Amino acid sequence: MTEIWEYAVVQLNSPTDDDVRCWLHQNRLDQTGGGFNFRKSTGNTSALSLHSYGIAIDWDPVHNPHKKPLTKPLPDWWYNIWTKHGWSDGRHFKTPDPMHVQFATGA
Ligand SMILES: [Zn+2]
């Protein structure tokens, strides 16, 4: 989150904290659908979702739907920051889930 904040600061050239919050909001980077949620996986209902373990977060689910074809207004730089810190994302799932980032691989 710190790195995402710092990215926004660079984009805005000496902004106030409110400027950064506004920019993040305008880019829908402050919209979350939640993290921890004890439930079955939507892709495999015989398994628990990684949300059940608190290691996944959904971002802006309204505009980043879990469906084919991939639809994602979230920027690539944002995914790159998550990936850099060991998270993976659902853009590459069999059915793309671009709202989803998880601190796990192979799921
Ligand atoms: Zn998710």
Side-chain angles (χ1 to χ4, degrees):
M1 295 301 172
T2 300
E3 200 163 327
I4 291 168
W5 183 274
E6 289 169 352
Y7 183 94
V9 167
V10 169
Q11 302 309 304
L12 295 169
N13 192 21
S14 303
T16 65
D17 286 353
D18 282 344
D19 292 337
V20 173
R21 287 185 195 95
C22 184
W23 187 85
L24 291 168
H25 184 70
Q26 288 170 346
N27 288 284
R28 305 194 60 78
L29 298 171
D30 63 346
Q31 309 292 309
T32 178
F36 175 76
N37 183 1
F38 189 78
R39 62 172 172 78
K40 293 179 180 179
S41 170
T42 56
N44 175 3
T45 57
S46 65
L48 287 174
S49 163
L50 290 180
H51 288 279
S52 299
Y53 304 96
I55 58 173
I57 306 169
D58 290 334
W59 292 94
D60 190 12
V62 171
H63 296 95
N64 295 282
H66 182 189
K67 68 172 191 173
K68 293 180 183 176
L70 173 64
T71 302
K72 64 151 197 77
L74 295 174
D76 288 337
W77 67 261
W78 182 87
Y79 290 104
N80 293 342
I81 289 173
W82 286 96
T83 302
K84 176 181 168 186
H85 293 281
W87 293 65
S88 58
D89 68 76
R91 288 177 297 173
H92 309 293
F93 289 178
K94 186 174 178 182
T95 300
D97 192 4
M99 74 178 82
H100 181 94
V101 293
Q102 62 186 36
F103 198 68
T105 59

